[in-house]
């Protein structure tokens, strides 16, 4: 079955009681049992909910996983994965990971006794050098946010096999439409469904998808024990969003390429970061492990003042955090999404004060480019 067909149908049979084609929002906290010890597979809605279950089955199918679990946010999904580790155990992390992930690891989980090393995971040897006897997990994001650097997932998976580590891939930026890490050897995929999967900027959620049965039981146990579950209504919104994932991603990518090509040619733009450009240092790897390049682009306009002037001049594009919605959003990573990353570290990662990030939406691309053009032309 093709991707678009699975996106629309996987996990979603017509409602057994009414025939409704759309999985209903099962807005209920409990399920009546027929008699003691006999029920229909649902007991209490933190543990299982039919709307959430439909979404979990759908996501498992799209990521080529056997199991999926949905959470109240991308951060709670990442938290559940890290809770598989015990005190003193060590996790190696992409150094230019999402700001919220860094904050969770550094400010919440490190004080509880987990250990982290942040390395440039673009370089497999740097990962290898960071492995120590306590290392249990490699957590990568590819492409990274906002510099759009890639980690070779298949090579990282091989290294993880050598050392008995679990490879976790945050696949939020590409969505399963363009990148399927489990097929490349990853153990666990995590998503912020808030972004491309839901795609309409109207819900916050997260998901964990994996193949190993023992790990799946552990994540399921954590989902139920910690309780940060995705609500029935949000599950329904994400299911609805995913029905158009294939067509949206195709348009995001077409618009993304056009905007990247426009920015590269523009005299006021110093540098463009987009894996679909031949000048991207990892263009070959991008072609190998992704089936498209997505619509996340960062570019440098030279200084904080120019970035501010640009961001205050756009009219169609909205100044906002987040990404992956149908509408084009622009933001300033240094002061917004990556404000929790220390200044020195931001400098080292290349998150300059002149850097602007755009999540290219699926409006008419001529309108997006006209807006960027008028805002860039105002820069002194
Ligand atoms: C947004 C995001 C997250 C966090 O997800 P929330 O749904 O906001 O909790 C994690 N990773 C990446 C790459 C993200 O873009």
């Amino acid at each position: 079955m093709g991707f678009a067909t699975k996106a629309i149908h996987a996990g979603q049979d017509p409602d057994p009681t009414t025939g409704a084609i759309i999985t209903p929002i099962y807005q209920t906290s409990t399920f009546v049992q027929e008699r003691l010890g006999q029920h229909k597979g649902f007991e209490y809605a933190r543990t299982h909910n039919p709307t959430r279950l439909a979404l979990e089955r759908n996501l498992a199918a799209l990521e080529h996983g056997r199991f999926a679990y949905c959470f109240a946010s991308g951060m709670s999904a990442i938290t559940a994965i890290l809770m598989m580790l015990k005190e003193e155990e060590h996790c190696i992390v992409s150094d230019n990971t999402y700001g919220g992930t860094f904050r969770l690891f550094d400010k919440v989980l490190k004080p509880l006794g987990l250990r982290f090393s942040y390395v440039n995971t673009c370089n497999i040897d740097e990962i290898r050098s960071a492995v120590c006897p306590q290392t249990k997990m490699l957590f990568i994001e590819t492409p990274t946010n906002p510099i759009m650097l890639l980690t070779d997932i298949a090579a990282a998976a091989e290294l993880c096999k050598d050392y008995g580590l679990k490879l976790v891939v945050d696949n939020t930026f590409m969505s399963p439409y363009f990148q399927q890490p489990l097929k490349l050897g990853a153990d666990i995929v995590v998503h912020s469904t808030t972004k491309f999967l839901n795609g309409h900027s109207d819900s916050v959620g997260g998901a964990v998808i994996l193949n190993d049965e023992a790990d799946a039981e552990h994540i399921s146990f954590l989902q139920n024990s910690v309780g940060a579950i995705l609500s029935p209504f949000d599950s329904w919104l994400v299911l609805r969003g995913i029905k158009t994932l294939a067509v949206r991603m195709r348009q995001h990518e077409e618009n993304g390429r056009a905007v990247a090509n426009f920015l590269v040619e523009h005299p006021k733009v110093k540098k463009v970061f987009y894996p679909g450009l031949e000048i991207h240092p990892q263009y070959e790897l991008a072609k190998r492990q992704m089936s498209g390049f997505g619509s996340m682009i960062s570019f440098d306009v030279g200084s904080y003042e120019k970035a501010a002037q640009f961001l205050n001049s756009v009219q169609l594009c909205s100044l906002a955090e987040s990404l992956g919605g149908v509408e084009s959003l622009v933001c300033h990573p240094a002061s917004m999404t990556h404000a929790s990353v220390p200044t020195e570290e931001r400098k080292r990662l290349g998150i300059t004060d002149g850097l602007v990030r755009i999540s290219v939406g699926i409006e008419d691309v001529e309108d997006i480019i006209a807006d960027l053009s008028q805002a860039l032309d105002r820069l002194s």
Side-chain angles (χ1 to χ4, degrees):
M1 216 186 269
F3 187 94
T5 311
K6 278 197 283 189
I8 293 166
H9 294 285
Q12 299 161 81
D13 294 323
D15 179 51
T17 53
T18 63
I21 192 162
I22 295 302
T23 305
I25 303 166
Y26 284 92
Q27 193 67 34
T28 185
S29 61
T30 191
F31 301 84
V32 177
Q33 312 198 358
E34 284 153 36
R35 43 190 296 180
L36 195 60
Q38 192 177 330
H39 56 75
K40 297 184 164 75
F42 299 96
E43 294 161 272
Y44 184 63
R46 170 163 30 76
T47 319
H48 293 113
N49 177 283
T51 319
R52 194 178 86 217
L53 188 63
L55 174 61
E56 291 172 338
R57 288 182 172 156
N58 181 267
L59 284 169
L62 296 184
E63 283 285 7
H64 294 269
R66 292 169 64 205
F67 309 98
Y69 301 93
C70 288
F71 291 85
S73 64
M75 290 324 304
S76 54
I78 293 171
T79 302
I81 294 169
L82 269 294
M83 281 183 169
M84 295 170 81
L85 300 185
K86 296 193 280 289
E87 203 177 346
E88 291 300 317
E89 288 186 335
H90 177 238
C91 175
I92 301 170
V93 189
S94 294
D95 60 3
N96 134 17
T97 197
Y98 176 73
T101 301
F102 174 77
R103 180 176 54 201
L104 171 71
F105 292 180
D106 195 59
K107 300 285 188 297
V108 181
L109 298 177
K110 189 173 114 188
L112 293 177
L114 296 192
R115 294 169 50 200
F116 297 93
S117 294
Y118 302 90
V119 311
N120 174 6
T121 55
C122 302
N123 184 339
I124 295 293
D125 290 332
E126 279 197 36
I127 306 176
R128 197 184 307 277
S129 314
V131 177
C132 64
Q134 291 76 32
T135 312
K136 298 289 177 205
M137 189 177 278
L138 170 61
F139 187 102
I140 63 174
E141 204 178 301
T142 179
T144 55
N145 177 22
I147 301 296
M148 305 305 291
L149 288 173
L150 274 60
T151 295
D152 185 332
I153 298 173
E158 221 153 86
L159 178 139
C160 285
K161 285 210 178 69
D162 289 348
Y163 294 95
L165 319 181
K166 285 187 205 314
L167 174 59
V168 182
V169 180
D170 183 333
N171 199 26
T172 301
F173 267 35
M174 281 301 117
S175 90
Y177 185 73
F178 285 133
Q179 179 168 273
Q180 297 166 355
L182 297 180
K183 276 170 75 181
L184 296 168
D187 299 294
I188 301 177
V189 166
V190 64
H191 276 284
S192 166
T193 62
T194 313
K195 317 295 169 54
F196 289 101
L197 284 170
N198 182 57
H200 293 74
S201 311
D202 54 12
S203 108
V204 171
V208 176
I209 303 113
L210 70 175
N211 273 317
D212 182 80
E213 195 158 347
D215 285 351
E217 267 175 32
H218 199 169
I219 291 287
S220 166
F221 172 81
L222 287 164
Q223 183 193 40
N224 186 44
S225 302
V226 179
I229 49 160
L230 193 64
S231 76
F233 180 55
D234 286 293
S235 299
W236 183 86
L237 282 173
V238 181
L239 270 171
R240 177 184 159 110
I242 288 176
K243 287 184 195 296
T244 56
L245 183 64
V247 283
R248 282 189 287 110
M249 292 315 287
R250 287 198 280 267
Q251 194 62 49
H252 274 298
E253 141 114 343
E254 194 180 314
N255 289 4
R257 282 178 193 240
V259 168
N261 288 330
F262 162 78
L263 291 170
V264 161
E265 297 292 324
H266 201 284
K268 302 268 171 72
V269 174
K270 310 277 181 255
K271 196 161 180 197
V272 181
F273 302 87
Y274 180 64
L277 291 171
E278 279 178 43
I279 53 164
H280 188 282
Q282 296 166 301
Y283 179 64
E284 290 304 319
L285 173 61
K287 281 199 296 188
R288 194 161 74 237
Q289 75 179 12
M290 314 183 324
S291 56
F293 305 110
S295 68
M296 296 304 301
I297 304 170
S298 294
F299 57 100
D300 203 316
V301 291
S303 68
Y304 177 84
E305 290 67 31
K306 285 183 181 170
Q309 199 182 355
F310 172 84
L311 292 165
N312 293 332
S313 304
V314 287
Q315 286 163 3
L316 175 66
C317 299
S318 305
L319 174 60
E321 295 199 13
S322 200
L323 57 111
V326 292
E327 52 287 282
S328 295
L329 300 180
V330 287
C331 81
H332 183 246
S335 68
M336 294 169 73
T337 53
H338 287 65
S340 58
V341 177
T343 315
E344 279 311 303
E345 182 64 4
R346 273 205 309 270
K347 265 207 195 113
R348 198 179 65 75
L349 297 172
I351 307 171
T352 55
D353 286 347
L355 197 72
V356 170
R357 188 188 77 184
I358 175 164
S359 169
V360 180
I362 58 171
E363 301 96 338
D364 290 302
V365 72
E366 299 76 18
D367 294 330
I368 301 170
I369 290 176
D371 189 34
L372 300 176
S373 181
Q374 64 80 23
L376 284 169
D377 288 345
R378 286 179 201 222
L379 302 187
S380 36

